[in-house]
Amino acid sequence: MGAVAPLSTKVKGMLFNKYLNRYYLKYAWLYLIGIAALIAVNYFQLLIPEYLGQLVDLCSDAEKNGTALTLAAIRDILLGVLLVAAVLWVGRTTWRITIFNASGKMEAALRHDMFLKAERLSQRYYHENSVGTVMAWFTNDIETVEENLGWGTVMMIDAVFLSLLTIWRMVALDWVMAVFLSIPLLLIVVWGALVEKFMSNKWEARQKAFDHVYDFSQESFTGISVIKAFVKETQQLHEFASVAKKDKEENISFVRVSVLFDVTIEIIIAVIMAFLIGMGGFFVYRLVTGNPVVLFGHAMDLSAGELVTFIGYFETLIWPMIAMGQIVTMHSRARASLKRISRFMTEEEEISAPEGAVTLENIAGRITFRNFSFSYPGAEDEALHDLTFEIEPGETIGVVGKIGCGKSTLAACLLRLYNVEAGTLFFDGVDVMDCTPASVRNAVAYVPQDNFLFSDKIRNNIAFARPDATEEEIEAAAKFADVHDNIVAFSDGYDTVSGERGVTLSGGQKQRISIARAYLKDAPIMILDDSVSAVDIKTEEEILGNIAHARRGKTTVVIASRVSTVSHMSRILVLDNGRVEAFDTPARLMETSPTYQKMVYLQALEREVEGGKV
């Protein structure tokens, strides 16, 4: 009867998932060594109650016979205890090194797989899921899974083998008392089965509350300058207190259930111990007085030493019974966390290479839009509608239009950040939907509108696309973006750390370092998405002049909010509400494009206002 509980716990204690199973196989040798050492420890530690029982019987016999207890009489027992201690030390060291090493490696491998998955997911996914939530999966949830892979494995083996070995020895010593003591184990199994699902749901609710804390904190720290500028520290504090209170309530709710479960286990164990000491002592007393108790036709003839051994076995059995309860709690948490991770890992990868995909190489830079339309995932209206135009290799093209007309969307589509309709967008006559996404992006050097910089040295930010770039190439790129003089003016020069998202740099410096990074990539197509808006007119002219000279023969698309930025380019694309209003030379646009005319007029008016003429 005692074997039923551990076997049930074994099933509950394991985590099986297609993202974990292959690592079970990969690190099986570590687990096998660790489990073998753990089973050896379980076997040898059961010798200690036997030695204690033998010692008690020696003392009892010496007192009964009126003889002295000598060191020679207990020498074999002492040597046996020392040998067991040595085996336990070696075994416990071995299983800690191997099992925890395996669980740590599996955690690292799973986190690596998750990061690769995160890189493959589309922009849409990160629009719909906050950064804080995703980070919680990478930290809190995966650590919960690792805990189950490490300590959960140890507890499961102890619950199975230590309890089986202990019950086997208890049965060999006195099967009637062993049966009585095994019955409460069934109560633990039943109680665990009832609570396990409930605790899993509680843990998932607790993790979701933690996600909200992570989201709020991440957003607040990112926007700390805005919070301070508007003196909203107190308001944010109150809002954080509300989010933290919800997290606290969910944690307390989970802990209540967990504590109730553990306390119930402790009560069951205490009742069994009280029964064992009381009834066992009574049986020994009746045996000593010559009137042993008979149960089910079996004489309860335990000696004092055998009772001590039996109590020692039961004390050894306490840990597996406690482990059964902890396995339920730990497995509930791990299963809920693994469920969240699995949802992330099974998320559809929208941007992928088709079968037999083409790898773009050495393209000239011709870009063709043919009846091109695009809608963001989940949006009802089209962001771009029926675009048809062609950019010749080596052209430098300007793109202008009102805010929200689709300029940045155009850049995102050229980078294949979203899927587009087949047969509508071509690089050198090749449909981008027939190409590998990596080769499309390798063909484009991109300067984003938000000018994201990594918290790293300026030289590493510039050399991001080409880590092997020489110092001369990095400096040449900085000079191209007219930021070299600013960089060398810093005390650490190119070794200056830009800070998180480039916080230590001005807006214009971040823009120009982003331009230098794109230039160093030396791609056949370069896209600047409103990337000179934070610099003065003189610096803008310097950069545009460098583009005209250094990128001669390569295609460059300059998206701008100021007409003056693109007024000297050969052709300008004018977008209006996601449609092509005109695509022509600046001179002809003054005759054919109302949007372009209005932008020129308004910016001329702004210059007059700045000059004090109006």
Side-chain angles (χ1 to χ4, degrees):
M1 294 178 67
V4 176
L7 290 175
S8 177
T9 306
K10 177 182 178 182
V11 175
K12 288 292 185 182
M14 294 297 290
L15 275 180
F16 292 108
N17 180 282
K18 65 180 181 180
Y19 302 109
L20 289 178
N21 292 348
R22 57 176 171 159
Y23 296 119
Y24 280 127
L25 296 175
K26 183 176 181 179
Y27 301 113
W29 65 277
L30 284 172
Y31 274 114
L32 290 175
I33 294 173
I35 290 171
L38 189 54
I39 293 173
V41 167
N42 291 340
Y43 177 82
F44 278 91
Q45 75 181 77
L46 290 174
L47 297 177
I48 294 177
E50 293 185 11
Y51 289 135
L52 289 176
Q54 292 173 16
L55 184 60
V56 169
D57 282 338
L58 278 176
C59 294
S60 298
D61 292 342
E63 182 180 0
K64 183 178 180 180
N65 298 328
T67 58
L69 186 64
T70 64
L71 180 61
I74 62 174
R75 182 183 55 195
D76 292 341
I77 295 176
L78 293 176
L79 290 176
V81 171
L82 290 175
L83 177 61
V84 169
V87 172
L88 295 184
W89 181 81
V90 173
R92 285 173 177 166
T93 301
T94 301
W95 68 251
R96 278 176 168 83
I97 291 174
T98 52
I99 293 179
F100 292 154
N101 190 14
S103 65
K105 288 179 179 294
M106 289 178 68
E107 176 193 10
L110 182 57
R111 185 178 280 115
H112 178 264
D113 291 344
M114 290 173 65
F115 187 80
L116 293 178
K117 177 71 176 184
E119 290 185 319
R120 294 194 299 266
L121 291 175
S122 67
Q123 297 290 96
R124 174 198 62 80
Y125 186 81
Y126 296 104
H127 291 162
E128 297 176 357
N129 296 273
S130 64
V131 174
T133 299
V134 176
M135 288 303 298
W137 301 335
F138 274 81
T139 54
N140 201 299
D141 284 299
I142 201 168
E143 287 169 2
T144 302
V145 172
E146 189 275 336
E147 181 187 37
N148 191 85
L149 296 173
W151 274 115
T153 301
V154 173
M155 292 179 183
M156 184 193 71
I157 297 302
D158 277 345
V160 174
F161 289 97
L162 185 55
S163 58
L164 281 174
L165 290 170
T166 304
I167 292 171
W168 171 62
R169 286 181 176 269
M170 291 168 69
V171 169
L173 195 58
D174 193 295
W175 67 269
V176 174
M177 288 191 66
V179 169
F180 279 131
L181 296 178
S182 299
I183 292 175
L185 294 178
L186 295 177
L187 298 178
I188 296 176
V189 174
V190 173
W191 179 238
L194 293 174
V195 174
E196 198 267 345
K197 178 64 176 178
F198 184 67
M199 292 184 68
S200 180
N201 293 336
K202 283 288 184 182
W203 180 257
E204 187 163 6
R206 181 259 182 200
Q207 291 297 82
K208 288 180 179 178
F210 178 79
D211 291 348
H212 293 317
V213 174
Y214 214 132
D215 289 340
F216 189 90
S217 302
Q218 186 267 338
E219 188 176 61
S220 297
F221 295 146
T222 302
I224 191 67
S225 58
V226 177
I227 294 172
K228 290 182 177 180
F230 285 86
V231 198
K232 292 297 181 181
E233 292 92 339
T234 303
Q235 175 182 310
Q236 288 296 105
L237 178 62
H238 289 315
E239 292 183 10
F240 178 79
S242 177
V243 175
K245 182 181 178 182
K246 176 65 175 176
D247 180 58
K248 181 190 73 172
E249 291 171 349
E250 293 293 349
N251 271 284
I252 291 175
S253 178
F254 175 80
V255 170
R256 281 199 187 106
V257 178
S258 179
V259 169
L260 175 63
F261 183 78
D262 291 341
V263 168
T264 303
I265 300 295
E266 295 285 349
I267 291 173
I268 294 173
I269 292 172
V271 170
I272 300 173
M273 179 61 81
F275 169 81
L276 177 58
I277 294 175
M279 296 302 295
F282 175 72
F283 294 152
V284 171
Y285 170 74
R286 291 287 297 270
L287 177 66
V288 171
T289 58
N291 189 23
V293 176
V294 178
L295 294 175
F296 306 109
H298 171 72
M300 308 299 293
D301 55 356
L302 287 173
S303 67
E306 289 173 332
L307 178 60
V308 169
T309 300
F310 203 96
I311 293 174
Y313 286 154
F314 179 75
E315 289 178 341
T316 303
L317 190 61
I318 288 176
W319 161 241
M321 289 197 293
I322 293 175
M324 292 176 198
Q326 293 187 1
I327 287 172
V328 171
T329 303
M330 189 179 296
H331 180 73
S332 301
R333 299 198 307 261
R335 192 177 70 169
S337 292
L338 187 59
K339 182 179 178 182
R340 286 153 54 90
I341 292 172
S342 295
R343 282 198 296 264
F344 171 73
M345 294 295 289
T346 55
E347 184 69 27
E348 179 185 359
E349 297 176 14
E350 299 174 2
I351 311 299
S352 59
E355 187 176 350
V358 177
T359 300
L360 290 175
E361 294 180 349
N362 302 320
I363 67 171
R366 175 178 283 103
I367 303 172
T368 305
F369 286 85
R370 189 178 301 159
N371 303 122
F372 179 88
S373 297
F374 175 78
S375 298
Y376 284 102
E380 296 181 359
D381 299 328
E382 290 182 334
L384 297 172
H385 179 71
D386 198 24
L387 307 188
T388 299
F389 62 92
E390 186 168 86
I391 300 173
E392 296 296 330
E395 273 194 296
T396 300
I397 299 296
V399 181
V400 298
K402 294 180 292 185
I403 294 174
C405 68
K407 301 188 296 293
S408 294
T409 302
L410 187 73
C413 293
L414 287 171
L415 280 165
R416 185 73 197 285
L417 297 180
Y418 298 92
N419 284 328
V420 299
E421 185 179 349
T424 59
L425 176 58
F426 304 85
F427 281 2
D428 280 9
V430 182
D431 190 343
V432 296
M433 291 300 293
D434 293 334
C435 304
T436 61
S439 67
V440 172
R441 294 166 189 166
N442 279 331
V444 180
Y446 177 54
V447 185
Q449 196 171 22
D450 60 2
N451 304 294
F452 182 90
L453 296 182
F454 296 94
S455 181
D456 200 349
K457 295 178 181 179
I458 290 177
R459 73 169 71 254
N460 295 338
N461 269 290
I462 294 176
F464 183 69
R466 290 180 52 200
D468 59 342
T470 64
E471 190 72 21
E472 291 75 17
E473 290 173 325
I474 293 172
E475 290 185 6
K479 291 175 181 177
F480 170 88
D482 198 27
V483 73
H484 172 73
D485 293 340
N486 293 124
I487 295 174
V488 296
F490 295 137
S491 58
D492 294 326
Y494 281 85
D495 289 325
T496 301
V497 177
S498 63
E500 186 177 5
R501 302 178 68 90
V503 69
T504 61
L505 305 173
S506 70
Q509 289 169 342
K510 286 193 291 186
Q511 279 193 338
R512 285 176 286 161
I513 290 174
S514 296
I515 293 171
R517 177 173 61 194
Y519 173 75
L520 187 60
K521 185 178 180 180
D522 195 27
I525 299 172
M526 186 175 183
I527 302 174
L528 290 85
D529 188 0
D530 205 11
S531 302
V532 290
S533 58
V535 301
D536 56 65
I537 298 297
K538 180 178 179 299
T539 302
E540 176 185 300
E541 291 176 351
E542 181 73 21
I543 294 172
L544 294 175
N546 290 339
I547 289 174
H549 173 72
R551 285 194 54 84
R552 184 177 291 113
K554 296 177 181 176
T555 304
T556 305
V557 178
V558 180
I559 298 172
S561 56
R562 294 195 299 240
V563 173
S564 59
T565 303
V566 296
S567 59
H568 300 295
M569 295 182 181
S570 55
R571 289 195 296 169
I572 299 173
L573 175 69
V574 182
L575 295 177
D576 183 32
N577 293 324
R579 299 171 183 268
V580 174
E581 181 178 284
F583 185 32
D584 214 327
T585 63
R588 289 185 59 82
L589 289 177
M590 288 299 296
E591 302 173 3
T592 60
S593 173
T595 298
Y596 185 79
Q597 295 169 8
K598 185 175 182 180
M599 293 179 69
V600 171
Y601 170 74
L602 289 175
Q603 291 183 26
L605 186 61
E606 288 175 3
R607 286 195 295 272
E608 290 184 11
V609 171
E610 291 170 359
K613 296 180 181 179
V614 177

